[in-house]
Amino acid sequence: MADVVIEGLTCRYGGVTAVDSLSISIADGEFLTLLGPSGCGKSTTLAALAGLDVPHAGSLRVGGEVYFDAGSGRNLPPERRSCGLVFQSYALWPHMTVAGNCEFPLKLRRVPTAERRTRVKEALGLVEMNDFADRYPHQLSGGQQQRVALARTLVYRPQVLLLDEPLSNLDARLRERSRVWLSQVTRQVGLTTVYVTHDQSEALALSDRIAVMNRGRVSQLGTPQEIYDHPADPFVADFIGSSNFLKGHIRGDAQGGRFTVELPGGQRIMALSAKRFAAGTAVLVALRPERLGIHAVRPAGDGQNLVQARLTGRSYLGARTLYLADVGGTTLRVESEVLFNSGEVWVEIPETSCVLFPAEGSDLS
């Protein structure tokens, strides 16, 4: 096990900067996910750590060893880096059994025969594949092949585990089950893990921390709950989970962190925010669909954030229904367990669920 320190990492392909001055410190034994859309630089960062790409600037250190340093010209070759890499495609040797695939890395390292057998059995036991040791890859399901690929990496006991979208080839139910055992295995072994995905559900379920990447940089680094509940900018709010965005203007001065926001059409809501906004500032209000309420008639009582809306569509999701509600020309997505017909409704917006951002310079691309 080892900590990982990435400082000022820059990777370019021609005139395109794939990773732009990236700096992240990963604690010993931590599970960190690099999350973002295609082309954001997450896989390039992983390849640089593994030694498959040569960066143009910055440094990479694992434990006490420098893997790469542009200043000194040091670049440790991949075979001398104690990194275990599991690809999206499992890349198992088709002519070798499960045990043979796991044993092969140890043969390359000239590990004695008796120790090889012990370590192969240990690795396959971790992923619950000892009963399949004599099978060939084509005799395994996708999920089983995935486990063998992980066991083959764990068998030579790397300091850092690098996972590049290893669950993307599995169906939805198998992916959900695989998240559970992957989390259990990595925590049982205690490996420092860097996981790459564009799937937000995987990131939220597996990670100690998440680095949300956009255009080669980290937009936000934090725990899953921090990033979901307190996104740093509209891009993060839009990429993690699902968010509505209402445009509005701040009206009057804040009262104890409570802002009055006027929406298009003149309706007003109250929003809590630790940020400071001057009166008249144009803002975006980010709202999670599952945190909104919907009512056929206006609820009694004061002090509630209620806006009138008109239902324009709905999608039945099983336990809940997703409604599309028009508010002053903006479509809000609202989830509810209650079934409504089309028509006029009242949408309830808890002020604690509002996240305010300056409208100027917001990036939702």
Side-chain angles (χ1 to χ4, degrees):
M1 295 187 293
D3 61 331
V4 177
V5 178
I6 303 171
E7 292 186 343
L9 186 70
T10 300
C11 301
R12 303 187 190 95
Y13 298 107
V16 177
T17 300
V19 179
D20 190 1
S21 302
L22 182 71
S23 295
I24 301 176
S25 293
I26 307 167
D28 186 10
E30 184 178 17
F31 194 116
L32 178 93
T33 295
L34 302 179
L35 175 69
S38 298
C40 72
K42 55 189 186 296
S43 291
T44 301
T45 301
L46 205 73
L49 264 174
L52 304 180
D53 278 353
V54 180
H56 291 79
S59 65
L60 300 166
R61 178 179 63 77
V62 174
E65 186 159 28
V66 176
Y67 280 11
F68 174 82
D69 182 69
S72 65
R74 179 176 175 80
N75 184 32
L76 207 64
E79 64 272 15
R80 291 182 55 197
R81 302 187 184 198
S82 186
C83 294
L85 178 60
V86 179
F87 292 100
Q88 182 177 351
S89 59
Y90 311 129
L92 300 177
W93 295 104
H95 64 289
M96 293 183 184
T97 63
V98 165
N101 267 278
C102 289
E103 188 180 16
F104 187 65
L106 300 179
K107 286 183 176 180
L108 292 178
R109 290 163 174 80
R110 299 183 180 180
V111 175
T113 302
E115 185 179 350
R116 290 204 306 261
R117 290 172 181 168
T118 299
R119 287 168 66 170
V120 166
K121 188 174 182 179
E122 285 178 356
L124 290 178
L126 279 171
V127 299
E128 301 177 353
M129 286 295 290
N130 268 319
D131 291 343
F132 299 84
D134 295 328
R135 292 196 187 182
Y136 288 88
H138 73 273
Q139 297 172 316
L140 304 176
S141 68
Q144 290 168 339
Q145 290 182 36
Q146 174 202 65
R147 294 185 181 213
V148 175
L150 182 59
R152 183 180 59 184
T153 300
L154 296 175
V155 77
Y156 57 86
R157 298 171 183 170
Q159 288 184 301
V160 179
L161 181 62
L162 308 176
L163 302 171
D164 191 2
E165 303 203 47
L167 307 184
S168 60
N169 291 332
L170 306 180
D171 63 65
R173 288 181 63 84
L174 188 53
R175 287 178 78 160
E176 190 172 335
R177 292 199 297 270
S178 295
R179 288 177 203 156
V180 175
W181 71 256
L182 181 58
S183 177
Q184 291 172 340
V185 168
T186 53
R187 280 160 175 75
Q188 181 179 348
V189 177
L191 270 175
T192 306
T193 304
V194 184
Y195 188 91
V196 162
T197 186
H198 61 269
D199 188 312
Q200 54 183 284
S201 298
E202 285 179 15
L204 293 171
L206 289 168
S207 312
D208 294 317
R209 287 191 302 160
I210 300 171
V212 183
M213 296 186 65
N214 185 28
R215 299 176 181 175
R217 296 189 175 188
V218 173
S219 293
Q220 186 172 0
L221 176 63
T223 66
Q225 186 172 358
E226 287 170 348
I227 287 177
Y228 191 85
D229 290 339
H230 307 288
D233 58 38
F235 171 80
V236 175
D238 193 43
F239 192 80
I240 300 291
S242 176
S243 287
N244 298 291
F245 291 94
L246 285 175
K247 294 180 179 179
H249 288 81
I250 301 295
R251 292 295 178 232
D253 296 325
Q255 302 294 325
R258 298 174 76 238
F259 293 87
T260 301
V261 181
E262 184 173 324
L263 306 176
Q267 298 192 80
R268 295 189 176 190
I269 61 173
M270 299 299 296
L272 279 176
S273 178
K275 301 175 184 176
R276 298 181 65 87
F277 296 94
T281 302
V283 294
L284 287 177
V285 186
L287 304 165
R288 300 289 189 192
E290 71 275 11
R291 294 179 177 174
L292 303 180
I294 188 169
H295 307 276
V297 297
R298 182 186 176 96
D302 298 324
Q304 301 177 81
N305 270 344
L306 294 165
V307 295
Q308 276 191 299
R310 181 175 55 85
L311 295 183
T312 59
R314 68 180 184 183
S315 298
Y316 180 66
L317 304 178
R320 300 173 72 84
T321 299
L322 176 66
Y323 294 96
L324 302 181
D326 182 88
V327 178
T330 299
T331 298
L332 281 185
R333 290 161 294 170
V334 185
E335 290 186 13
S336 177
E337 297 176 358
V338 182
L339 289 174
F340 292 90
N341 295 318
S342 59
E344 299 297 320
V345 294
W346 291 89
V347 175
E348 184 178 354
I349 304 175
E351 61 184 48
T352 55
S353 297
C354 300
V355 182
L356 297 183
F357 301 108
E360 185 177 355
S362 65
D363 180 10
L364 289 175
S365 60

